[in-house]
Structure formats: structure tokens, C-alpha cells
Amino acid sequence: CWLRKRTQLTATQPRSFTPAPESEQFVRALLAQLPPRTRAIVVLKYVEGRTFEEVATILGIPSTHARSIAARALHLLRRTHD
């Protein structure tokens, strides 16, 4: 949502949420089901907190492509989780 403020994580800023080991294993298992490029986009965007523009630059793809792949990945992960 465009109203949500985004914060950039830095090396000196601790994460506000640390998942329980069981949760982390569950998330890793879900991510392992994704193709490598899709997994990279999801991790860069939602784990590392990067912008889609940064993700696109890192992977050498258009930012619209990164957004599209992320949306499909989230849809797939939600369906898998249900």
C-alpha cells in the first residue's frame, strides 16, 4: 500500500522481528519451492527489504518484471500455505 512507510534496514539497525526456528524452517521450505530467480526476488524484496528498483538493478531485469514475478510468487505461496 502506498500509505505504508517503508524503512530500510541497515547493518546497525536490528530487525524488529525474529521468527521462531519452526517458523523460519517453514518459510525456508516454502521458499525452496520457488524457482531460483523468483526466490531471489522474494528474498531481496521481503526479507532484505529492498525496493523493486533495487531488486531489478541487482538482477538485471526491469522493475515491472520484478513486481510481476513477486506478485505471482506471493499468490503461489498463499495458495500453497492454505
Side-chain angles (χ1 to χ4, degrees):
C1 180
W2 62 274
L3 294 173
R4 183 178 63 203
K5 289 185 179 180
R6 296 181 184 195
T7 59
Q8 294 294 324
L9 296 177
T10 63
T12 60
Q13 181 183 20
R15 291 189 176 203
S16 60
F17 173 74
T18 304
E22 300 82 27
S23 299
E24 187 173 338
Q25 290 172 352
F26 177 73
V27 170
R28 285 180 186 268
L30 284 177
L31 290 174
Q33 296 174 21
L34 298 174
R37 176 179 260 178
T38 303
R39 183 172 48 245
I41 291 170
V42 170
V43 169
L44 288 168
K45 174 64 181 154
Y46 300 105
V47 176
E48 293 186 10
R50 296 180 185 263
T51 66
F52 281 114
E53 289 72 23
E54 291 173 321
V55 171
T57 299
I58 291 167
L59 298 177
I61 60 174
S63 62
T64 54
H65 192 62
R67 287 176 194 269
S68 176
I69 291 173
R72 279 184 267 144
L74 292 179
H75 178 73
L76 176 64
L77 291 172
R78 286 183 186 119
R79 281 189 16 205
T80 302
H81 177 56
D82 291 339

